[in-house]
């Protein structure tokens, strides 16, 4: 509340404390942290960075060197990855965890203060199966958290783990079938479940589909009284729903912005009577914002990291400070954190939608740099999203799953983009959808020019089955945790034709037939 009343003061104090704490580490000495006395001086002396810029420093940390990016010791490293880049490791210190908890604890307090129905209930926090055995860096640092409660403060973490419906130990089940059954059984056994907190709504949808498909086999694993209560509620309702399974469920917390918004109708099939609150922008690298109940967006986490924002309408100007954001503006954030990221460009896009007191409220809009550039076409995810919106408007077409990715057909030298889509629509509608999408994409000069030169083949379409399940399994095989997988509209890797069943069926639904 204090930070929201005076964001400029809160952020200036945050920056001074951060620089003072790290002036003697390798990075602090290189850029003269001890002589920086204002945000303006900080922007002048310290460069904007990304992971590639910092990777030599990250390698030193992974190898076991100390006082590299922070004076405080690194506790562990957490894996982060994008759909089009290799896994990256982010260092975690006690200071970084305190910065996370400055936002997550405030969110949790607001949540329970606004929903008295949550009091005395248990909660489910995303507990993903491990992709492989416990890992360490070459220098011996552990890699990865077991569950999402790690982002909270000590007291909140203690309380949450006492209220967890699914124990953290489930994360150690590396077999996906065992993990699903253990998770589903634990959730069904919890008659006082009040809160479900996951990242992607597709994660929760897949879990509910598993419960529905295996309902008769799961019931005998429950205590007899609990199994009978569920059966009686199901008989009364006539259909399986969240309220049948968990009558005290008061809230679902998940992503609701960007591509995740497309999953909300599917989620409502199970949670029609349960309020759904969107997450703030919280990445592995840091916490940008957290939701407040009743607000149109998430409030900036001003008591956590030092935040700057590149104005996307004026990218040549100096980055703005948090208090300078204006409603209606679009920005990409820079983070400076207690984990050793300084002026780190997160490559996310947020829209400012208002203010809470004097603190900006923002909503996630998408990724800035998900760009595919095979032959100069410079296709980005925002353009793909616009093309899909055009299809939706003109054909009233809402697929269960849609992903655009490059493919190369046997015997064809050109690379083409393919729309991998799960839909009940006819082949003819799918052809029309692809034509409309290509018309939207060719409004970009670079994309059109590559088509005209023959470097890029016409867009294709492939019907898929269980799209999000296959997408999730493929991402897990690449090293991501199931609960962390973000919905995407564009992926630059040419792996998806094989993942969804091979390129052989592509010509069957080719817009050029």
């Amino acid at each position: 509340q204090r930070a929201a009343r005076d964001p400029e003061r809160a952020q200036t104090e945050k920056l001074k404390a951060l620089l003072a704490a790290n002036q003697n580490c390798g990075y602090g000495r290189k850029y003269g942290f001890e002589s920086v006395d204002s945000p303006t001086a900080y922007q002048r002396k310290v460069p904007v960075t990304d992971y590639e810029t910092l990777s030599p420093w990250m390698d030193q940390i992974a190898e076991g060197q100390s006082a590299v990016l922070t004076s405080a010791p690194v506790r562990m490293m957490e894996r982060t990855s994008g759909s089009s880049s290799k896994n990256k490791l982010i260092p975690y210190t006690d200071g970084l965890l305190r910065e996370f908890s400055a936002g997550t604890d405030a969110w949790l307090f607001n949540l329970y203060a606004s929903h008295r129905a949550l009091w005395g209930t248990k909660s489910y926090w995303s507990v993903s199966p491990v992709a492989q055995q416990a890992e360490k860096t070459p220098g011996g640092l552990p890699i990865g958290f077991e569950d999402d409660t790690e982002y909270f403060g000590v007291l909140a973490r203690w309380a949450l783990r006492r209220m967890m419906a699914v124990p953290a130990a489930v994360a150690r089940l590396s077999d996906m079938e065992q993990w699903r059954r253990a998770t589903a059984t634990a959730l069904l056994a919890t008659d006082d479940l009040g809160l479900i907190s996951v990242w992607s709504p597709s994660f929760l949808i897949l879990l509910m589909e598993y419960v529905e498909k295996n309902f008769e086999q799961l019931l005998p694993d429950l205590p007899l009284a609990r199994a009978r209560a569920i059966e009686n509620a199901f008989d009364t309702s006539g259909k399986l729903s969240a309220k049948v399974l968990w009558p005290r469920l008061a809230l679902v917390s998940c992503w609701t912005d960007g591509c995740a918004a497309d999953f909300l109708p599917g989620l409502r099939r199970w949670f029609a009577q349960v309020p759904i609150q969107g997450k703030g922008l919280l990445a592995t690298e840091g916490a940008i914002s957290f939701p407040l109940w009743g607000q149109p967006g998430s409030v900036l986490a001003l008591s956590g990291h030092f935040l700057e924002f590149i104005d996307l309408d004026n990218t040549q100007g100096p980055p703005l400070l948090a208090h300078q954001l204006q409603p209606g503006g679009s920005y990409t954030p820079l983070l400076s954190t207690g984990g050793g990221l300084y002026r780190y460009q997160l490559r996310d896009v947020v829209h400012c939608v208002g203010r809470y007191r004097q603190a900006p409220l923002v909503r996630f809009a998408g990724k800035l740099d998900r760009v595919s550039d095979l032959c100069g076409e410079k296709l980005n995810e925002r353009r793909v999203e616009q093309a899909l919106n055009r299809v939706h408007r003109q054909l009233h077409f809402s697929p269960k799953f849609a992903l655009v990715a490059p493919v190369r057909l046997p015997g064809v030298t050109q690379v083409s983009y393919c729309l991998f889509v799960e839909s009940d629509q006819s082949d003819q509608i799918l052809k029309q959808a692809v034509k409309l999408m290509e018309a939207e994409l060719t409004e970009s000069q670079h994309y059109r020019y590559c088509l005209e030169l023959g470097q890029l083949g016409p867009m294709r379409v492939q019907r898929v089955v269980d799209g999000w399940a296959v997408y999730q399994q493929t991402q897990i095989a690449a090293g991501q945790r199931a609960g962390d997988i973000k919905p995407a509209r564009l992926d630059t890797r040419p792996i998806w034709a094989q993942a969804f069943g091979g390129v052989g069926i592509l010509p069957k639904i080719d817009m050029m037939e």
Side-chain angles (χ1 to χ4, degrees):
Q1 294 289 350
R2 286 194 300 270
R5 284 193 289 267
D6 193 347
E8 183 177 9
R9 178 179 178 179
Q11 283 280 279
T12 299
E13 291 176 352
K14 173 58 62 177
L15 177 63
K16 289 181 178 179
L18 179 67
L19 298 179
N22 295 293
Q23 62 184 5
N24 293 320
C25 71
Y27 201 85
R29 290 195 303 271
K30 178 176 180 178
Y31 290 105
F33 282 6
E34 79 284 348
S35 64
V36 176
D37 59 1
S38 68
T40 302
Y42 181 60
Q43 292 180 338
R44 186 174 62 249
K45 296 193 67 170
V46 180
V48 173
T49 61
D50 55 20
Y51 195 85
E52 286 65 35
T53 306
L54 294 178
S55 59
W57 303 81
M58 300 294 189
D59 291 343
Q60 293 177 39
I61 294 171
E63 290 164 3
Q65 296 187 37
S66 59
V68 178
L69 291 172
T70 58
S71 298
V74 174
R75 280 182 47 185
M76 49 83 71
M77 300 189 85
E78 178 65 296
R79 197 181 300 280
T80 183
S81 66
S83 295
S84 59
S85 61
K86 67 179 182 179
N87 288 327
K88 301 169 289 190
L89 294 176
I90 301 297
Y92 270 61
T93 63
D94 288 338
L96 176 59
L97 287 171
R98 285 193 296 270
E99 290 173 357
F100 269 109
S101 67
T104 55
D105 287 0
W107 165 64
L108 201 63
F109 176 85
N110 176 261
L111 194 63
Y112 276 78
S114 303
H115 291 79
R116 296 298 180 96
L118 290 172
W119 292 21
T121 65
K122 288 188 171 61
S123 52
Y124 173 56
W125 296 88
S126 175
V127 178
S128 303
V130 294
Q132 36 197 289
Q133 295 302 313
E135 294 180 88
K136 290 183 180 292
T137 70
L141 288 171
I143 298 175
F145 288 137
E146 282 192 344
D147 63 80
D148 290 343
T149 62
E150 296 281 359
Y151 291 109
F152 292 87
V154 174
L155 182 60
R157 190 161 64 245
W158 174 83
L160 289 171
R161 287 182 171 171
R162 289 175 63 88
M163 299 188 298
M164 285 179 70
V166 178
V170 171
R172 290 191 283 272
L173 297 173
S174 57
D175 181 84
M176 285 294 294
E177 180 60 29
Q178 291 181 4
W179 169 79
R180 287 194 183 96
R181 190 173 188 95
T183 300
T185 302
L187 285 173
L188 290 177
T190 306
D191 61 354
D192 56 348
L193 186 68
L195 169 68
I196 293 176
S197 178
V198 299
W199 295 111
S200 174
S202 64
F203 176 88
L204 187 53
I205 290 171
L206 290 174
L207 193 56
M208 293 301 295
E209 288 176 345
Y210 177 85
V211 169
E212 181 181 53
K213 182 179 179 180
N214 298 277
F215 186 62
E216 296 297 333
Q217 291 74 38
L218 291 169
L219 283 181
D221 293 342
L222 306 180
L224 182 60
R226 175 63 176 151
R228 286 178 174 172
I230 291 177
E231 288 179 322
N232 291 337
F234 176 74
D235 291 341
T236 301
S237 174
K239 63 178 182 179
L240 201 61
S241 70
K243 280 298 185 182
V244 165
L245 300 175
W246 307 292
R248 295 186 65 183
L249 186 63
L251 190 82
V252 170
S253 169
C254 65
W255 288 323
T256 58
D257 295 330
C259 296
D262 294 342
F263 294 99
L264 296 184
L267 196 63
R268 285 293 182 193
R269 174 192 169 196
W270 308 100
F271 299 92
Q273 304 172 51
V274 182
I276 297 175
Q277 183 185 47
K279 296 281 191 189
L281 178 52
L282 188 148
T284 306
E285 295 87 346
I288 308 300
S289 64
F290 61 90
L292 291 176
W293 189 254
Q295 297 297 324
S298 296
V299 65
L300 292 184
L302 299 167
S303 297
H305 320 306
F306 179 70
L307 304 174
E308 303 170 73
F309 295 86
I310 297 174
D311 187 346
L312 294 181
D313 292 325
N314 181 24
T315 56
Q316 300 305 311
L320 303 177
L321 303 182
H323 68 281
Q324 295 173 317
L325 269 58
Q326 296 298 319
S330 295
Y331 309 93
T332 184
L334 307 177
L335 306 182
S336 295
T337 78
L341 303 183
Y342 303 101
R343 309 200 71 206
Y344 183 93
Q345 189 166 6
L346 198 56
R347 312 299 293 179
D348 286 322
V349 177
V350 297
H351 294 325
C352 182
V353 296
R355 293 186 184 278
Y356 171 76
R357 299 187 183 274
Q358 298 302 312
L361 295 167
V362 298
R363 297 190 68 171
F364 174 74
K367 298 296 291 184
L368 183 67
D369 62 352
R370 189 164 287 152
V371 176
S372 185
D373 195 15
L374 303 174
C375 50
E377 71 278 13
K378 294 179 172 57
L379 180 63
N380 65 67
E381 188 172 38
R382 295 175 74 183
R383 174 65 73 177
V384 171
E385 185 69 26
Q386 290 171 355
L388 284 168
N389 288 339
R390 178 174 184 169
V391 171
H392 176 75
R393 289 193 305 270
Q394 297 193 28
L395 298 181
H396 305 290
F397 178 61
S398 298
K400 298 177 182 177
F401 171 86
L403 177 72
V404 171
V407 295
R408 189 184 296 276
L409 297 180
V412 178
T413 57
Q414 293 173 324
V415 176
S416 297
Y417 284 96
C418 179
L419 172 64
F420 297 94
V421 61
E422 182 177 358
S423 173
D424 296 330
Q425 299 284 355
S426 67
D427 290 0
Q428 188 60 38
I429 292 295
L430 295 188
K431 293 178 185 179
Q432 293 181 40
V434 170
K435 288 180 180 179
L436 288 172
M437 286 195 67
E438 186 116 276
E440 179 74 31
L441 298 181
T442 52
E443 291 184 7
S444 165
Q445 177 183 351
H446 297 292
Y447 190 95
R448 183 175 65 253
Y449 189 59
C450 289
L451 277 177
E452 292 171 350
L453 289 178
Q455 294 176 296
L456 199 63
M459 194 171 188
R460 298 172 178 271
V461 59
Q462 178 174 331
R463 192 187 296 275
V464 305
V465 178
D466 296 330
W468 278 111
V470 174
Y471 182 83
Q472 183 185 66
Q473 291 164 6
T474 305
Q475 297 290 58
I476 290 172
Q480 290 199 52
R481 300 194 330 164
D484 297 341
I485 296 171
K486 301 177 181 178
R489 289 295 184 222
L490 175 68
D491 194 293
T492 63
R493 296 169 295 176
I495 64 172
W496 295 104
Q498 182 176 359
F500 289 122
V503 299
I505 64 172
L506 278 168
K508 294 181 180 179
I509 312 175
D510 188 337
M511 65 170 286
M512 300 302 291
E513 284 180 354

